[in-house]
Amino acid sequence: MSDPNKKSIEDLLKMLALGESLTPSQEKQMKDYKFWKTQPVPSLDETITKEGPIDVLKTPEDVPSEPLPLIKEFEWCNIDIQNNEQLDELYKLLYDNYVEDTDATFRFKYSHEFFKWALMPPNWQQDWHTGVRVKETGKLVAFIAATPVTIKLNKSGTVIDCVEINFLCIHKKLRNKRLAPIMIKEITRRVNKQNIWQALYTGGSILPTPLATCRYQHRPINWSKLHDVGFSHLPANQTKAGMLAHYALPNKTNIQGLREMEEKDVKDVLKLLTEYQERFDIVQLFTEEEFKHWLLGNADANANNANNAKTKTNSFGDKLNSNVIKTYVVENSEGKITDFFSYYLLPFTVLENTHHDELGIAYLFYYATDAEGDRYKPRLNDLINDALITSKQYNVDVFNCLTSQDNTYFLKNCKFGSGDGFLNYYLFNYKTFPMSGGIDKQTKLVIDDETSGVGVVLL
Ligand code: MYA
């Protein structure tokens, strides 16, 4: 029988979403958003009739040069991601404060390599890694990051240079003191100073106003371990052996020509993705340099892993294999890249469990195929099934994705299940037509075999 005190995968997923969906009685109205109602974002009840920017009147010269004032005990700082001590400070802030886990049984296990990958893509800026310290002690108590990203809205063909905002975190002791609006206004100032006026961000909380909402999906890889740590319960009328058999995966991948992506593939894979992404409403555009970073990892961080025994080299002696991002391509017999998939790894530390101290988690990232028509759905299913199989070698215990991209074409066959967590997508200072996000607006159930509109993947 299932133990009601144990966490279910749904709880895990809810936690990953960093927020929960609100019941209608808990929903705030626009007037209740004291901060957000002052910002250039669509209102909650607004029907979008035309896409476009909201506030267009400013130039960088109109933007103040000085940081926003903080109360006198605190000061602004930049976190130097290349400095290991400062990375450790960021790690500690996020470890203790980023995720609300009431039982304190698990935490995100960020590595230096993960931070470098997430925060140092080409054209990253030092002063977009914004922290707040206590003046007297120097203790880091808050953080927010912006990274450069180019977005394309396919319906209108509009390309927007914007930033992605992530890792907003305030120390638990400083919560509910209206520091978040100051952090957001300060990062807005720093980004605006660089003549950038739009931002993309996601969150579990409902704010004015999501352009799409996606639902978390999870696929157990190591069911018995998930059960051991209390993440999966045994459904009624099922046996452990039955669950193991249900989720069992072979050790060998199925698709012929599947191999790890190498640097020489960057151009071809980018072309494949760019063409594939035309099916979505909102997509990320990449330069080759950016694509290399996001799909093969941060060169500096990978180099730092040179002593790592797991690090492999290819036949040219190039260092392969970031420990964070895994990308595989399918090369056909004529040497053409026909498909690819990628996922990133961000494990949990498991606390106070006698058998396990870590839980391996993979998150689906970008993928594409040139298969069309009747071949499309079976091909996506084969690709993702191979992604699941490859993930076993990296000790992945659960493979997660959202209902974004065209994921609803494979969720069922590949044995993903819906979690309770939802992820809302937002654009700052831009109105877009709403997108389905792969779920029914009312029932929140997955809409099978229909594109979500959301082609962009945020960490
Ligand atoms: S999402 C991850 C967010 N982080 C966490 O969930 C970690 C744990 N939680 C915390 O550290 C704190 O609870 C945070 C709020 C920091 C989240 N996004 O200071 P307060 C509004 C936006 O008293 P606190 C990520 O990183 C809230 O509605 N706004 O609250 C993307 C209220 O405003 P209003 C949020 O709990 C971040 C006000 O803040 C969020 O102490 C994207 C209350 O402030 C949230 N996740 O701290 C940020 N949570 O009165 C936006 C609460 O109106 C970027 N609030 O309801 C916008 C674009 C900026 C750049 C633009 C460039 C052009």
Side-chain angles (χ1 to χ4, degrees):
M1 283 299 287
S2 67
D3 174 352
N5 296 319
K6 280 192 168 182
K7 276 202 176 61
S8 68
I9 288 194
E10 280 66 35
D11 294 330
L12 160 71
L13 266 290
K14 199 187 275 182
M15 194 196 104
L16 291 172
L18 293 171
E20 293 176 26
S21 55
L22 300 177
T23 61
S25 62
Q26 292 172 304
E27 269 173 28
K28 288 209 280 189
Q29 293 176 346
M30 198 62 202
K31 65 173 170 45
D32 305 321
Y33 287 96
K34 286 197 179 60
F35 167 64
W36 280 107
K37 73 180 178 193
T38 67
Q39 297 301 298
V41 291
S43 308
L44 282 172
D45 49 4
E46 191 169 337
T47 309
I48 312 283
T49 51
K50 196 167 170 279
E51 289 194 326
I54 297 167
D55 182 358
V56 284
L57 295 175
K58 283 201 233 136
T59 67
E61 291 70 46
D62 303 326
V63 177
S65 301
E66 291 302 313
L68 264 81
L70 281 171
I71 53 168
K72 67 176 189 327
E73 289 82 4
F74 298 101
E75 63 190 3
W76 295 108
C77 66
N78 295 337
I79 297 297
D80 181 356
I81 304 295
Q82 286 161 307
N83 176 310
N84 284 345
E85 274 171 32
Q86 294 191 29
L87 264 189
D88 286 337
E89 287 182 273
L90 178 59
Y91 171 83
K92 192 162 170 24
L93 174 74
L94 296 180
Y95 185 86
D96 292 335
N97 303 281
Y98 197 50
V99 159
E100 299 300 316
D101 170 22
T102 43
D103 296 355
T105 46
F106 42 77
R107 305 281 170 89
F108 281 118
K109 192 173 177 184
Y110 291 111
S111 59
H112 285 193
E113 189 184 351
F114 185 89
F115 281 136
K116 286 178 178 166
W117 179 65
L119 294 173
M120 288 173 59
N123 301 319
W124 64 278
Q125 303 233 5
Q126 177 95 294
D127 79 334
W128 290 356
H129 299 154
T130 305
V132 172
R133 290 185 189 279
V134 177
K135 251 188 210 164
E136 203 178 310
T137 60
K139 186 181 163 79
L140 182 68
V141 288
F143 183 73
I144 189 167
T147 43
V149 64
T150 307
I151 292 301
K152 187 174 175 206
L153 296 169
N154 273 333
K155 280 196 178 124
S156 58
T158 311
V159 173
I160 310 171
D161 275 332
C162 60
V163 290
E164 182 179 320
I165 303 290
N166 211 335
F167 300 109
L168 168 60
C169 183
I170 293 177
H171 194 284
K172 282 179 181 157
K173 289 199 172 137
L174 293 175
R175 295 277 169 85
N176 301 316
K177 296 187 190 315
R178 313 298 300 179
L179 179 56
I182 297 174
M183 305 286 300
I184 294 169
K185 282 195 267 186
E186 176 58 13
I187 198 83
T188 303
R189 185 192 71 79
R190 293 177 185 212
V191 170
N192 284 168
K193 245 346 201 185
Q194 306 296 322
N195 203 18
I196 293 176
W197 307 91
Q198 272 75 35
L200 188 67
Y201 50 103
T202 54
S205 348
I206 307 266
L207 306 165
T209 295
L211 62 92
T213 301
C214 293
R215 187 163 181 175
Y216 274 93
Q217 305 291 313
H218 54 86
R219 203 290 184 191
I221 303 291
N222 186 348
W223 185 86
S224 67
K225 182 166 165 192
L226 293 173
H227 184 256
D228 280 354
V229 298
F231 283 152
S232 321
H233 62 276
L234 186 62
N237 309 325
Q238 291 283 353
T239 60
K240 280 190 186 179
M243 295 303 284
L244 289 179
H246 177 69
Y247 289 120
L249 286 163
N251 289 327
K252 275 203 141 157
T253 53
N254 293 308
I255 301 177
Q256 216 164 18
L258 186 84
R259 60 166 174 81
E260 285 184 59
M261 180 175 162
E262 295 174 31
E263 212 173 315
K264 64 174 184 184
D265 304 315
V266 166
K267 220 187 186 76
D268 291 343
V269 180
L270 178 54
K271 185 167 176 287
L272 180 72
L273 178 69
T274 308
E275 284 164 18
Y276 177 74
Q277 295 215 108
E278 278 169 26
R279 65 184 60 237
F280 305 121
D281 295 339
I282 184 168
V283 298
Q284 179 173 357
L285 298 185
F286 300 89
T287 62
E288 277 179 29
E289 198 194 349
E290 286 170 333
F291 200 60
K292 191 175 126 192
H293 172 91
W294 287 118
L295 275 294
L296 293 175
N298 181 296
D300 292 348
N302 291 1
N304 288 339
N305 289 333
N307 298 330
N308 183 335
K310 278 192 220 148
T311 306
K312 292 184 201 157
T313 51
N314 66 13
S315 51
F316 312 102
D318 290 341
K319 235 198 49 56
L320 283 177
N321 287 1
S322 146
N323 291 313
V324 171
I325 175 75
K326 303 289 176 188
T327 306
Y328 288 77
V329 297
V330 180
E331 180 178 343
N332 71 12
S333 50
E334 280 118 50
K336 185 176 179 240
I337 306 288
T338 54
D339 320 74
F340 88 97
F341 60 75
S342 58
Y343 51 88
Y344 64 90
L345 304 172
L346 179 54
F348 273 155
T349 297
V350 180
L351 306 173
E352 289 165 30
N353 184 294
T354 39
H355 301 296
H356 304 286
D357 55 11
E358 190 172 315
L359 198 65
I361 308 184
Y363 297 80
L364 187 62
F365 199 47
Y366 286 97
Y367 62 84
T369 175
D370 68 4
E372 288 176 351
D374 289 350
R375 287 183 54 239
Y376 180 59
K377 181 173 172 175
R379 187 61 170 185
L380 273 193
N381 278 277
D382 289 348
L383 267 180
I384 301 306
N385 202 55
D386 271 1
L388 300 175
I389 294 170
T390 59
S391 76
K392 291 205 299 183
Q393 66 189 292
Y394 308 119
N395 301 321
V396 168
D397 299 308
V398 58
F399 198 112
N400 292 329
C401 70
L402 288 148
T403 53
S404 60
Q405 298 146 287
D406 267 0
N407 298 356
T408 66
Y409 284 82
F410 62 73
L411 292 173
K412 209 175 258 169
N413 286 347
C414 289
K415 300 181 179 166
F416 283 79
S418 284
D420 283 353
F422 293 87
L423 191 67
N424 303 294
Y425 290 71
Y426 301 96
L427 253 183
F428 183 87
N429 194 20
Y430 207 90
K431 289 183 188 178
T432 50
F433 299 125
M435 299 157 207
S436 85
I439 52 171
D440 182 277
K441 216 173 162 29
Q442 261 73 46
T443 64
K444 311 281 187 221
L445 297 175
V446 175
I447 313 172
D448 289 334
D449 303 348
E450 212 179 277
T451 193
S452 67
V454 180
V456 61
V457 185
L458 283 85
L459 303 183

